[in-house]
Amino acid sequence: MCIININAENIDYESALGKLGNSIKLYKIILVGFKNKYANAYDDLVTLGIENNYTEAKILSHSLKGVCGNLGANNLEIISRELEYSYLNEDNKHLQLLDAFKQEVHVVLEDINSILECIDGTNESK
C-alpha cells in the first residue's frame, strides 16, 4: 500500500488510519477537509486576535485541536490545545504560540499534499 511508504514527518498517518478503521477513503475526506477549511487558520487567528475576539479564536483553536487529532498531526494538536487554553484565559500566551503554529500548519499542509498525491495514485482510495 502506497500510504505506508510515504514520508510524512509531521503526520502520524498510521495512527490516524487505525482510528478510522483503516479507511483510506475517510482519511482522504479528513485530509481534504483540513486543507480546505484550515489552510488560512493562522491568518484567521491573527485577525481574531487583532479584533480581541477571543471567543471565536478559542472556538477555532478547539476545532483545530480535534481535527488534528483525527488527522494524526500531533504537534499541531498540541499547539492548538495551548492556543485554545490561552484564548480561554485571555493570557496573551497565544502571541508567543502563533509563530510555531504558522510553521506547523505549513509543514502539515506539505505532508497532506504528499499523502493525497500518494492516495490519488492508488486504487485503494476508491
Side-chain angles (χ1 to χ4, degrees):
M1 180 163 71
C2 177
I3 202 154
I4 297 301
N5 296 320
I6 194 160
N7 182 16
E9 296 178 11
N10 302 287
I11 295 178
D12 182 0
Y13 58 86
E14 291 174 332
S15 173
L17 278 171
K19 293 176 189 176
L20 301 171
N22 292 316
S23 172
I24 293 175
K25 186 175 184 177
L26 182 55
Y27 191 51
K28 182 178 178 180
I29 291 169
I30 293 170
L31 291 168
V32 171
F34 181 91
K35 188 175 167 180
N36 291 339
K37 188 168 183 176
Y38 298 112
N40 297 315
Y42 169 79
D43 294 333
D44 295 341
L45 287 173
V46 168
T47 299
L48 291 169
I50 290 169
E51 296 170 351
N52 290 320
N53 191 343
Y54 294 137
T55 300
E56 289 299 317
K58 181 186 73 69
I59 291 169
L60 177 56
S61 299
H62 178 80
S63 297
L64 275 159
K65 177 183 71 175
V67 172
C68 289
N70 290 330
L71 183 67
N74 300 327
N75 289 338
L76 191 55
E77 179 184 9
I78 291 166
I79 295 168
S80 297
R81 180 181 301 115
E82 291 173 357
L83 281 168
E84 177 187 15
Y85 186 78
S86 176
Y87 290 124
L88 178 67
N89 293 305
E90 298 183 21
D91 63 10
N92 291 326
K93 184 179 178 187
H94 63 275
L95 297 172
Q96 299 165 354
L97 295 167
L98 283 172
D99 282 338
F101 178 82
K102 181 180 182 179
Q103 292 172 357
E104 196 64 28
V105 167
H106 177 75
V107 295
V108 165
L109 287 169
E110 286 179 346
D111 277 359
I112 287 173
N113 288 330
S114 295
I115 293 169
L116 287 172
E117 284 178 22
C118 182
I119 290 172
D120 290 340
T122 68
N123 293 326
E124 295 178 19
S125 64
K126 296 181 177 152

